[in-house]
Amino acid sequence: MLGATASPHLSPPYLYSNPYSFQDRKQFLIKLQKCKSIKQAAPIHAHIIKNGNKNDPFILFELLRVCSRSCSIEYASKIFRKTSNPNVFLYTAFIDVFISSGAYSDGIRTYFQMVRDFILPDNYIIPLVLKACGSALDLNSGEQIHCQAMKLGLCSDRFVRLKLVELYGKCGEFSDAKRMFDEMPQRDVVASTVMISCYLDHGLVRKAMDEFWLVSTKDNVCWTAMIDGLARNGEMNMALELFREMQMEGVKPNEVTIVCVLSACAQLGALELGKWVHSYVEKYNIEVNHIVGSALVNMYSRCGDIDEAASLFEDLEARDVTTYNSMIVGYALNGKSTEAIKIFQRLIRDGIKPTSITFSAVLNACSHGGLVDIGFDIFESMKTEYGIERRIEHYGCMVDLLGRVGRLQEAYDFIQRANIAPDNIIWGSLLSACRIHKNFELGERVAKILMEYGAADSGTYILLSNVYASLGKFKEAAQVRAKLREEGVQKEPGCSSIEVKNEIHEFLLGDIRHPEREAIYNKLKELDDMLKSEDYAPETDVISQDIEEHEKKWALSIHSERLAICYGLISTKPCTTIRVVKSLRVCNDCHSVIKLISKITQRRIVVRDRNRFHHFENGVCSCGDYW
DNA sequence: CTAGGGTTAG
């Protein structure tokens, strides 16, 4: 490899003629086992070659293991290509390099190559490649390997079975998965966890739960898988409930559990519970590695406590690019554009390589802050300075940025000029800008482009119908709504939630399920009357046109965020901040009303919508009325 | 003399 073998006087004629070689060989093996990266291994490798051990299969095996740890496919391929007659061990190690780098199909291909070369698979390599088939959702290869395992009599092996369950489960073949699972001699917690995770991956929450309760000794991984899966399926409250139950059962959460629970808190905006989890981390000495650190920063910023997020970020011992990303996203979400850019600059100064996500975050911050020039500088630098491919979401940020400051025609030209095919999100954001800046001519042009797409989501349709409504073109607005219905695009129900005394209360449009509904609606009425004296006129144009005007007003005032705020007003102490999380974007009318409510009640109201935070204080919103 | 469970943030 390094050309050292060319000089015969450097290599002994026989492999172990050097009396020190045996000793050296053992040392090499030990040293390689300790290597975390190929960089650390390179000098040892050079030494190995000089010493004449370079064809030793055990040494080669350890070298390939190092490649696995540092995802060095190229280095591994070079080594492997030079081995003559690789055995099943070397194949296993080599394939593992592909799989741990995420190159599943290359791993699977190499396995079939091995079989063609008449090397018999063993009970180690079969589970390895089955795992790859599962991860790549390659059912076809998986079934072939299943057959081979049967012919070789390996199907009774516990690990083979585990991976068969995983393969079929991940591919959604639940009857096969269940059969593999049930045929296992004793159902163990690991196999159950695999089944549960697979159900949850496919949204089968009920089935996962049933299986979960059947596990007699649930360990923390099993609990974690269930908690995380619930959160991923939008069952945030159930996830947190299970977390409490886990502790009552005396099962100690690990780092992963903490990360999953923090993520659920972040999504829910459950600040109090998030804080509690944070104190739990400190109390039980759970290691704040960079993943836990990022999750904490993320939780605080998504719960609207950006100051706490920032001070935590400063105190972290382990920071990597994702930690920085979380902080940038946090500042952007909370409307602190300059701070976001400062973190970005610090990241660069600290010599960390930014990722595609870093740029989405920082460009998003520029867009929220209307920082056009800085935004374009950073956008340009992506390719020229950092060699990162600019993707559709980055172009989207730029369109957003131009749109926000009202440079609509430029935004349109930018889309036309971009060497990337615009999607409906990009057109949608321009459409939204046209509506806010009341450029209906361009708005309609964009609307027509969007209609041609056909594949628009419910948000796009609603935006479109709102533009028509604003133009007074009610017939077209109605047509869009009709099209929405006829194409079966589900309008996602808006849901707002508020955390009061460690409990999350959820409200839908016009919700009357809450036990304190009467007090809530009384408050709503009371505020409504006060608003009248504040010269407030509802913006009913955002409501579909097939209902009466007075009904429209009512439809607006029972928007979920108002119900949540009213509940906050009656259930929390005066002067405390009210924090509400909404699943959709805040509508224009609610935005103006909440501004007024913050003024009338002298409360700080923090609303997180689908895209960002609105910090309302004394009649003003941090978003500057553009979102 | 070589090796293998299930659950992590944006």
Side-chain angles (χ1 to χ4, degrees):
Chain A
M1 179 146 295
L2 299 175
T5 48
S7 328
H9 62 276
L10 284 178
S11 286
Y14 302 107
L15 206 53
Y16 299 128
S17 67
N18 177 347
Y20 298 107
S21 261
F22 267 124
Q23 206 47 43
D24 288 348
R25 179 176 177 273
K26 201 159 201 171
Q27 282 305 312
F28 288 145
L29 291 172
I30 291 167
K31 277 187 184 157
L32 286 174
Q33 280 162 0
K34 285 184 194 150
C35 282
K36 283 205 192 74
S37 71
I38 206 67
K39 247 192 185 141
Q40 291 168 357
I44 305 169
H45 194 186
H47 215 114
I48 287 165
I49 294 167
K50 231 180 0 194
N51 212 44
N53 298 88
K54 67 164 183 158
N55 292 323
D56 184 326
F58 290 83
I59 297 259
L60 287 168
F61 181 82
E62 289 304 337
L63 272 168
L64 288 170
R65 307 275 310 155
V66 180
C67 295
S68 265
R69 268 169 255 152
S70 60
C71 301
S72 311
I73 293 178
E74 258 180 69
Y75 204 98
S77 303
K78 264 194 216 161
I79 295 172
F80 193 76
R81 232 178 288 135
K82 294 200 178 166
T83 57
S84 48
N85 303 320
N87 59 17
V88 69
F89 287 99
L90 288 176
Y91 264 106
T92 306
F94 184 45
I95 290 170
D96 189 58
V97 180
F98 287 118
I99 294 175
S100 44
S101 314
Y104 304 117
S105 58
D106 290 326
I108 297 165
R109 200 170 330 112
T110 309
Y111 167 80
F112 283 118
Q113 179 62 49
M114 180 190 91
V115 175
R116 271 197 300 279
D117 284 349
F118 304 109
I119 294 170
L120 276 188
D122 66 4
N123 58 328
Y124 280 85
I125 201 162
I126 295 274
L128 180 69
V129 280
L130 282 175
K131 182 197 178 76
C133 294
S135 303
L137 302 180
D138 183 352
L139 186 60
N140 213 318
S141 303
E143 282 172 334
Q144 286 182 53
I145 296 165
H146 185 177
C147 286
Q148 293 172 354
M150 281 199 289
K151 284 188 203 149
L152 293 162
L154 294 172
C155 280
S156 53
D157 182 276
R158 172 163 174 264
F159 290 96
V160 172
R161 293 213 82 94
L162 269 179
K163 294 302 165 185
L164 282 170
V165 174
E166 189 178 318
L167 165 75
Y168 290 118
K170 281 200 169 157
C171 293
E173 301 288 324
F174 286 105
S175 55
D176 286 332
K178 193 81 169 74
R179 196 158 48 84
M180 293 298 125
F181 178 65
D182 290 339
E183 282 172 16
M184 288 184 81
Q186 76 259 32
R187 69 163 54 184
D188 58 48
V189 61
V190 178
S192 301
T193 308
V194 171
M195 268 319 279
I196 290 166
S197 300
C198 290
Y199 281 137
L200 291 165
D201 282 348
H202 288 83
L204 301 168
V205 176
R206 188 71 244 165
K207 280 193 177 292
M209 271 295 207
D210 291 345
E211 203 58 63
F212 180 73
W213 295 119
L214 283 176
V215 186
S216 47
T217 47
K218 298 184 270 290
D219 61 7
N220 57 4
V221 177
C222 189
W223 280 97
T224 304
M226 193 66 225
I227 290 170
D228 181 53
L230 284 172
R232 279 184 200 285
N233 281 285
E235 300 286 357
M236 251 42 90
N237 273 325
M238 240 201 266
L240 297 180
E241 182 55 42
L242 221 61
F243 176 60
R244 290 189 192 103
E245 214 164 309
M246 169 181 182
Q247 273 151 282
M248 291 195 308
E249 298 270 318
V251 182
K252 193 174 181 264
N254 61 15
E255 281 80 19
V256 183
T257 323
I258 295 296
V259 169
C260 296
V261 173
L262 285 172
S263 161
C265 292
Q267 289 178 66
L268 273 179
L271 182 59
E272 293 313 312
L273 184 62
K275 277 184 184 166
W276 184 86
V277 175
H278 187 189
S279 64
Y280 186 97
V281 167
E282 287 173 343
K283 195 167 153 198
Y284 290 96
N285 274 328
I286 288 176
E287 189 200 340
V288 183
N289 59 26
H290 54 97
I291 302 180
V292 176
S294 304
L296 278 167
V297 169
N298 180 52
M299 182 276 291
Y300 277 114
S301 65
R302 288 190 116 75
C303 289
D305 197 341
I306 189 67
D307 296 334
E308 188 56 38
S311 80
L312 193 119
F313 177 80
E314 295 304 328
D315 292 342
L316 285 178
E317 281 172 22
R319 263 179 258 165
D320 71 349
V321 65
T322 50
T323 327
Y324 281 83
N325 289 351
S326 298
M327 196 62 239
I328 298 171
V329 170
Y331 274 135
L333 276 175
N334 285 276
K336 305 209 167 197
S337 312
T338 8
E339 283 85 348
I341 292 163
K342 275 187 196 148
I343 297 289
F344 171 71
Q345 289 164 339
R346 227 169 101 186
L347 173 150
I348 301 297
R349 232 185 11 251
D350 292 350
I352 294 170
K353 196 173 155 27
T355 64
S356 189
I357 293 162
T358 314
F359 285 102
S360 301
V362 72
L363 291 175
N364 199 248
C366 292
S367 145
H368 283 173
L371 306 168
V372 180
D373 294 339
I374 299 174
F376 270 92
D377 283 349
I378 294 175
F379 182 73
E380 285 306 321
S381 76
M382 277 184 74
K383 212 173 169 171
T384 57
E385 277 180 57
Y386 305 104
I388 290 176
E389 202 60 46
R390 289 177 296 197
R391 296 209 300 236
I392 190 98
E393 60 266 33
H394 303 114
Y395 283 90
C397 288
M398 304 320 285
V399 172
D400 239 29
L401 177 50
L402 289 169
R404 165 179 253 277
V405 296
R407 288 156 71 166
L408 301 169
Q409 189 58 45
E410 272 178 74
Y412 183 83
D413 295 341
F414 178 82
I415 297 175
Q416 300 287 2
R417 248 196 353 263
N419 41 23
I420 198 161
D423 60 2
N424 54 11
I425 299 173
I426 289 213
W427 289 119
S429 97
L430 182 55
L431 179 60
S432 169
C434 288
R435 191 169 91 90
I436 288 169
H437 291 287
K438 304 202 189 303
N439 183 338
F440 295 125
E441 192 205 326
L442 185 58
E444 203 180 355
R445 194 143 36 109
V446 175
K448 283 196 176 131
I449 297 171
L450 266 168
M451 287 298 270
E452 283 164 21
Y453 265 96
D457 62 4
S458 65
T460 311
Y461 275 106
I462 289 159
L463 206 58
L464 193 54
S465 123
N466 290 346
V467 166
Y468 280 127
S470 307
L471 280 166
K473 299 191 173 181
F474 298 127
K475 209 176 89 195
E476 284 85 347
Q479 275 168 357
V480 174
R481 296 255 168 187
K483 190 162 178 182
L484 196 152
R485 271 193 296 275
E486 131 206 340
E487 294 196 358
V489 187
Q490 285 289 319
K491 188 183 171 189
E492 200 185 321
C495 174
S496 296
S497 58
I498 180 167
E499 185 188 35
V500 174
K501 294 185 192 80
N502 275 323
E503 223 176 299
I504 306 289
H505 300 256
E506 288 181 337
F507 296 91
L508 299 172
L509 173 90
D511 209 326
I512 49 168
R513 296 170 306 169
H514 197 276
E516 292 182 55
R517 55 188 167 263
E518 212 160 312
I520 294 169
Y521 278 88
N522 285 340
K523 192 75 193 172
L524 196 67
K525 183 83 182 52
E526 182 193 323
L527 284 172
D528 221 35
D529 293 339
M530 286 164 98
L531 289 174
K532 276 184 195 136
S533 57
E534 291 276 343
D535 254 358
Y536 152 75
E539 293 183 41
T540 45
D541 63 345
V542 300
I543 300 287
S544 79
Q545 299 304 313
D546 41 16
I547 54 175
E548 298 291 327
E549 193 68 23
H550 67 275
E551 285 176 350
K552 285 185 205 165
K553 261 170 75 180
W554 178 242
L556 281 173
S557 69
I558 56 175
H559 269 180
S560 60
E561 55 269 51
R562 294 200 208 176
L563 298 178
I565 289 172
C566 285
Y567 181 62
L569 285 170
I570 60 173
S571 59
T572 58
K573 292 194 199 85
C575 299
T576 53
T577 302
I578 291 177
R579 295 171 192 277
V580 169
V581 173
K582 189 176 184 208
S583 65
L584 300 176
R585 288 178 15 156
V586 184
C587 79
N588 263 341
D589 186 66
C590 284
H591 196 267
S592 342
V593 167
I594 299 169
K595 284 200 288 187
L596 291 173
I597 294 177
S598 76
K599 192 171 146 198
I600 296 169
T601 61
Q602 281 301 301
R603 291 264 208 151
R604 285 183 58 202
I605 301 173
V606 181
V607 178
R608 187 184 88 187
D609 74 8
R610 181 182 277 262
N611 290 328
R612 59 172 300 155
F613 275 95
H614 300 267
H615 294 261
F616 296 95
E617 196 165 1
N618 202 22
V620 183
C621 179
S622 63
C623 79
D625 298 341
Y626 191 106
W627 67 96

